[in-house]
Amino acid sequence: MKVSSEMIQKMHQEAEKVWVPEFVRVIQETKDPYLNLIYDTDPLEQIFWDNVVLVGDAAHPTTPHGLRSTNMSMLDAAVLGKCIAKRGAENLQSALREYQTTLLPVVSKQVLRATRMGRIKQGLVLPDREPFDPKNSRSQDYQELLQEDMPFFDDVPLLLV
């Protein structure tokens, strides 16, 4: 999305409030900035219908804050392949049900976690914490932003063996 000069001016002012001077300079020296909108979505309740199956971002649209999209997509393909190999192409519906049952609980948590991380990083108000301020935060304020806390599949490696 192309931005107006008023939007650019406001972006520069907001950057000075939040970011370190080196990053503010990068923002201010960017000649033609654009706005990349990010939307949060609720987790899906199902990821297959008949012979149509969703994988990757279509199955679990996470914002970039979770840093898992590509990894999740590769894992989806691996799990789907294993489910089909295990059940056989003649039992496709059974394989797709197993795929959905395996993925949905964790990817739903990942979508919600990425949404929460995005809201924290943007300094938005959440009911259970103060807005995040990177200039005045303490080490414990960063704890919830650690990627190691992103839900993952503890049992998937067993499924892939």
Side-chain angles (χ1 to χ4, degrees), residues 5 22 33 61 72 107 117 121:
S5 58
E22 296 81 5
M72 292 165 65
V107 298
M117 290 175 71
K121 289 177 180 180

Side-chain angles (χ1 to χ4, degrees), residues 1-2 31 35 38 50 68 72 106 120 126 128 130 132 136 147 149 152:
M1 171 182 196
K2 195 74 170 152
K31 300 241 185 281
L35 189 59
I38 298 174
D50 299 321
R68 288 278 202 263
M72 292 165 65
V106 175
I120 291 169
L126 292 170
D128 61 339
E130 292 294 315
F132 181 68
N136 298 308
Q147 294 302 316
D149 292 337
F152 201 64

Side-chain angles (χ1 to χ4, degrees), residues 3-157:
V3 294
S4 68
S5 58
E6 293 83 25
M7 290 173 75
I8 293 171
Q9 184 177 10
K10 184 173 181 182
M11 198 182 323
H12 290 169
Q13 292 168 351
E14 292 297 317
E16 290 172 359
K17 294 178 191 175
V18 176
W19 299 108
V20 295
E22 296 81 5
F23 194 62
V24 171
R25 193 177 81 246
V26 170
I27 292 171
Q28 291 173 341
E29 290 178 4
T30 302
K31 300 241 185 281
D32 294 315
Y34 65 94
L35 189 59
N36 188 4
L37 302 176
I38 298 174
Y39 295 96
D40 293 318
T41 65
D42 291 328
L44 298 177
E45 294 180 12
Q46 71 183 77
I47 54 176
F48 90 94
W49 299 262
D50 299 321
N51 292 337
V52 175
V53 63
L54 301 179
V55 296
D57 289 344
H60 39 73
T62 59
T63 62
H65 303 103
L67 299 176
R68 288 278 202 263
S69 183
T70 302
N71 294 335
M72 292 165 65
S73 298
M74 291 187 293
L75 191 56
D76 291 357
V79 171
L80 179 59
K82 288 292 184 176
C83 291
I84 293 171
K86 178 180 171 185
R87 304 281 179 176
E90 62 280 358
N91 295 310
L92 184 60
Q93 293 302 304
S94 176
L96 296 180
R97 269 192 301 281
E98 181 178 9
Y99 168 75
Q100 179 171 276
T101 301
T102 302
L103 288 184
L104 271 184
V106 175
V107 298
S108 294
K109 289 176 188 173
Q110 290 176 329
V111 169
L112 293 172
R113 172 90 171 126
T115 297
R116 181 172 175 82
M117 290 175 71
R119 291 178 181 172
I120 291 169
K121 289 177 180 180
Q122 294 171 51
L124 300 177
V125 176
L126 292 170
D128 61 339
R129 68 173 289 150
E130 292 294 315
F132 181 68
D133 178 359
K135 283 192 170 179
N136 298 308
S137 60
R138 300 160 298 168
S139 62
Q140 61 260 33
D141 296 330
Y142 286 96
Q143 282 304 120
E144 195 169 0
L145 299 176
L146 296 175
Q147 294 302 316
E148 63 194 33
D149 292 337
M150 178 64 105
F152 201 64
F153 298 88
D154 293 332
D155 58 346
V156 167

